[in-house]
Amino acid sequence: MPQVDTFSELQIARDRDGNVVELLRNDLEVVCLAFAASRQCMVELHVFHADDDGVGGPDPEIFVRQAGAAARIQHPQSTRVLDFGEDDGACFYLSDFGDGELLEDYLDRCAPLPESIALELVLNAARGLSAHTGEIPVLAGMDLLQSRVRLDHRHAQALTVKVGGYSFGSRKAEMLSAAGVHEYYVRSLAEVLIWAVTGRQISADGLTHGDADAAHWSVPSLTLLDALDGNRPSVRSLDSAVAAIERTLTSLHSDARRDDQLPDSLLPLLPLEPYLVSIEELHVN
């Protein structure tokens, strides 16, 4: 993998100790914060890499094709792909700076959530995923748990989700059936909803009557879970999942909906909090 400094058109962000600000690092990619001078905004630089033996990286031709398809998708609940290509032999793409907390981290920290807030998060995620259904290879490579939970800038006390977690360059993703990909993400939405309400990572099959009673599930939500991931699920597409979740939220009694004031404990963390300069340091400088 090349050094991120090779991306000369970007100004790579560094912390107070001079280290590159990495937002994410895993077996597939490194994600760094950068400033794009041509766009005059902060962006995320995603660099995909092979393993130590130089194998396992994305196919460059397929990567460019899938990243280009993702760049054409514009939706409020979807992370925008701003640019993509190869640099020093590595595939990369630039995306919006995700000013929120990874969905996986947020649920691990905050769940169990009030039922209505959990439903709203899952609804936003479903809408974001649904925006990608015209590009099945792009959708198939997404990681729902790498979506960002953030405050809705239009409503300061509401949460929203931006789906992302793109992984371009997979030949297998281009061979998957649309129906199979839809069903996978419908089940994933059900599992996220269960995690959000119960605080447990289990499937709908693993949800016991005790779990349902302890989490104070409403009848509409239990009906929704059965439709998404029951023994005979009736929802088989993401568009249908969006409609079903919307109906469930509408059917909740008004006193079951979330309060106007979002508790501080449920506010998402910003990814830059470890790098922010303290008040003391500001005074020193």
Side-chain angles (χ1 to χ4, degrees):
M1 186 191 75
Q3 297 295 318
V4 293
D5 290 330
T6 63
F7 295 87
S8 55
E9 74 280 9
L10 299 174
Q11 298 176 27
I12 307 299
R14 296 181 180 275
D15 63 20
R16 60 179 68 95
D17 296 320
N19 301 312
V20 171
V21 177
E22 291 187 2
L23 302 176
L24 177 69
R25 176 182 285 269
N26 57 35
D27 293 339
L28 296 176
E29 64 174 326
V30 176
V31 184
C32 302
L33 183 69
F35 179 75
S38 61
R39 298 177 180 273
Q40 291 293 297
C41 66
M42 302 303 293
V43 297
E44 292 183 9
L45 167 63
H46 300 249
V47 184
F48 290 76
H49 53 86
D51 59 23
D52 293 337
D53 296 323
V55 298
D59 181 299
E61 181 180 348
I62 296 176
F63 182 95
V64 169
R65 180 165 64 246
Q66 293 176 358
R72 293 190 292 271
I73 297 171
Q74 304 290 322
H75 191 275
Q77 266 71 55
S78 174
T79 299
R80 289 189 306 158
V81 173
L82 305 172
D83 195 7
F84 55 90
E86 286 185 85
D87 193 300
D88 196 26
C91 295
F92 76 94
Y93 74 88
L94 300 181
S95 70
D96 290 330
F97 167 53
D99 57 340
E101 186 172 3
L102 290 177
L103 177 59
E104 182 176 29
D105 294 342
Y106 182 80
L107 293 178
D108 188 56
R109 183 175 63 86
C110 296
L113 302 172
E115 184 182 17
S116 58
I117 292 179
L119 283 166
E120 288 169 353
L121 286 178
V122 173
L123 174 59
N124 281 317
R127 286 169 172 165
L129 292 172
S130 182
H132 295 74
T133 54
E135 300 290 350
I136 293 298
V138 174
L139 177 63
M142 297 176 69
D143 185 344
L144 177 58
L145 293 179
Q146 295 299 306
S147 304
R148 294 279 189 185
V149 179
R150 54 194 298 195
L151 285 176
D152 188 331
H153 297 307
R154 297 167 302 173
H155 309 288
Q157 289 301 319
L159 296 177
T160 187
V161 171
K162 266 201 171 187
V163 299
Y166 296 113
S167 181
F168 307 126
S170 168
R171 190 175 301 277
K172 180 181 178 181
E174 303 214 327
M175 301 169 63
L176 297 174
S177 71
V181 173
H182 275 263
E183 290 179 10
Y184 170 79
Y185 283 107
V186 169
R187 289 195 303 272
S188 296
L189 289 169
E191 291 172 2
V192 167
L193 179 59
I194 293 171
W195 187 3
V197 174
T198 68
R200 298 176 61 202
Q201 288 184 267
I202 54 177
S203 66
D205 291 339
L207 188 68
T208 66
H209 290 297
D211 291 322
D213 293 340
H216 305 293
W217 289 88
S218 67
V219 171
S221 287
L222 288 174
T223 302
L224 172 66
L225 278 179
D226 189 57
L228 295 177
D229 195 22
N231 293 328
R232 296 181 179 179
S234 58
V235 174
R236 298 185 179 275
S237 74
L238 285 168
D239 286 345
S240 296
V242 169
I245 300 168
E246 287 175 340
R247 288 195 299 270
T248 302
L249 269 171
T250 300
S251 66
L252 290 181
H253 297 299
S254 59
D255 59 356
R257 304 298 295 273
R258 65 169 177 80
D259 296 328
D260 290 336
Q261 186 69 29
L262 193 67
D264 289 345
S265 61
L266 298 185
L267 294 176
L269 301 178
L270 292 175
L272 290 185
E273 286 192 349
Y275 309 104
L276 295 178
V277 177
S278 68
I279 295 178
E280 292 77 11
E281 288 174 304
L282 282 175
H283 287 312
V284 169
N285 295 327

